[in-house]
Amino acid sequence: MRILREEYPALDAGRILSWATEGGAKALGLATGRLSPGLFADWIAVEAADVPTDELEEFLVTEEPDVRVVSVEGELLLDGRWEG
């Protein structure tokens, strides 16, 4: 996402994020890519506590935040919420 953003700075960060999530899943033929009833609950949570809400999409496509939580098919694989 960061490389795409660097090459095409006029692209909306939200659109890039959507391409990387929903678009990526669709291209791979997976029933995931967004949180919705009936889909697998595959998601991550990243450290973004200091990022203002209106800058979150830009942050997600340009930075490499620390991944704190990983869930695949509703099962927690990494739960780092309580670490340092």
Side-chain angles (χ1 to χ4, degrees), residues 7-72:
E7 292 293 320
Y8 301 95
L11 280 176
D12 178 68
R15 178 173 286 190
I16 295 170
L17 190 59
S18 177
W19 288 345
T21 54
E22 273 190 90
K26 186 176 180 180
L28 294 171
L30 303 174
T32 188
R34 59 182 164 43
L35 295 177
S36 183
L39 298 181
F40 292 123
D42 297 347
W43 56 273
I44 64 169
V46 299
E47 182 62 47
D50 297 330
V51 179
T53 303
D54 62 338
E55 297 176 17
L56 187 57
E57 290 176 337
E58 185 68 26
F59 170 78
L60 292 172
V61 301
T62 60
E63 302 297 328
E64 293 183 30
D66 291 332
V67 175
R68 296 293 189 163
V69 181
V70 175
S71 176
V72 176

